[in-house]
Amino acid sequence: MFRIGLGEDTHRTAAGGPLVLGGIEIPHDHHLVGHSDADVLLHALTDALLGAAGLPDIGQLFPNTAEENRGRNSADFLTAAYAKVREAGFSLVNADCVVAAQAPKLSPYKDAMRHRIAGLLGANPLDIGIKAKTGEEVGPVGRGESIEARAVVLVERSMQPH
């Protein structure tokens, strides 16, 4: 049995770097604002995986009101969520992700993000797609006020739930 999950996230930007996206630090004069490290790509991917397995979303599992999540590395959210997905009897087939940011240009970092995410999920980097888009100077993304990410995943039931 196959299931698809979709996740998305948006965080506003603020002066001061570095920018954390896809589990890596990207040199930039702005960072994302959030209760955790605000990595929109890992947040979108976390929600996509949870949704595919029919589990509660990232906000329910890792609330931004919980002190233990303040400043937390979003890689922790992704790996903990994927452990729950595995416990529910599913394994990742592939993920496809889109990040929308006016700046910085993300193309030079896509391969590093792909490898970092694959490492976190125990996946083949070829099974992780990363695309980068700009906001074409339109809306909050285009004005550099926010960065957005979307992720879709395909999971396969690998065993009966624990």
Side-chain angles (χ1 to χ4, degrees), residues 17-155:
L19 176 64
V20 178
L21 277 177
I24 66 166
E25 287 190 1
I26 296 172
H28 190 49
D29 60 359
H30 281 73
H31 68 280
L32 292 169
V33 178
H35 189 69
S36 66
D37 66 6
D39 186 329
V40 293
L41 179 52
L42 294 189
H43 292 182
L45 190 53
T46 298
D47 258 347
L49 284 164
L50 290 167
L55 297 170
D57 67 24
I58 190 172
Q60 290 175 280
L61 293 178
F62 311 104
N64 64 6
T65 54
E67 191 56 36
E68 66 267 18
N69 294 329
R70 182 177 301 284
R72 192 167 172 191
N73 186 326
S74 295
D76 294 345
F77 299 152
L78 181 61
T79 56
Y82 190 52
K84 291 183 177 300
V85 169
R86 300 281 296 167
E87 287 171 14
F90 294 94
S91 60
L92 178 70
V93 175
N94 75 301
D96 196 24
C97 309
V98 179
V99 180
Q102 191 63 35
K105 293 293 184 192
L106 297 177
S107 290
Y109 305 100
K110 291 189 306 185
D111 198 52
M113 287 189 268
R114 175 188 344 274
H115 279 82
R116 173 69 172 140
I117 290 167
L120 291 169
L121 298 175
N124 184 325
L126 296 175
D127 293 333
I128 309 295
I130 308 271
K131 293 179 284 304
K133 306 292 180 187
T134 69
E136 297 294 332
E137 299 180 4
V138 175
V141 170
R143 291 188 299 269
E145 298 168 1
S146 66
I147 294 178
E148 300 175 352
R150 288 172 186 77
V152 63
V153 300
L154 180 65
V155 297

